């Protein structure tokens, strides 16, 4: 069963959280061109620090699923 990952807050300034993710699941943060900008293993109650990213549209890929989020300043 494929579950939908929820990214919040969206839009985000600095700390991006993922809901409905299995602990220790691998993720990739990619731009609209598919370039991998960050990757790692998501821990429960953790967040992805996106403060260094330019404003724009990005995706978090977890397995075959990708979820969109907007980075703002």
């Amino acid at each position: 069963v494929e579950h939908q990952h929820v990214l919040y807050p969206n839009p985000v300034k600095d700390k991006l959280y993922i809901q409905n993710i299995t602990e220790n699941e691998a993720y990739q943060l990619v731009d609209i061109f598919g370039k991998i900008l960050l990757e790692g293993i998501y821990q429960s109650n953790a967040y992805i620090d996106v403060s260094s990213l330019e404003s724009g549209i990005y995706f978090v890929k977890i397995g075959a699923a990708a979820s969109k989020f907007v980075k703002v300043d």
Side-chain angles (χ1 to χ4, degrees):
V1 174
E2 192 65 35
H3 50 266
Q4 182 64 39
H5 300 105
V6 178
L7 307 179
Y8 68 95
N10 193 1
V12 59
K13 287 188 177 195
D14 49 10
K15 296 177 181 176
L16 183 69
Y17 296 87
I18 306 175
Q19 210 171 357
N20 299 338
I21 185 171
T22 307
E23 186 168 4
N24 296 324
E25 198 164 1
Y27 69 86
Q28 293 180 326
L29 193 154
V30 300
D31 64 15
I32 57 172
F33 304 107
K35 180 182 174 193
I36 298 170
L37 304 175
L38 291 169
E39 55 189 336
I41 304 295
Y42 198 83
Q43 306 296 330
S44 63
N45 301 320
Y47 61 87
I48 302 172
D49 183 356
V50 297
S51 59
S52 63
L53 298 178
E54 298 285 324
S55 295
I57 297 171
Y58 298 91
F59 297 88
V60 173
K61 292 176 66 177
I62 301 163
S67 300
K68 182 172 86 171
F69 73 94
V70 177
K71 166 68 169 71
V72 294
D73 287 332

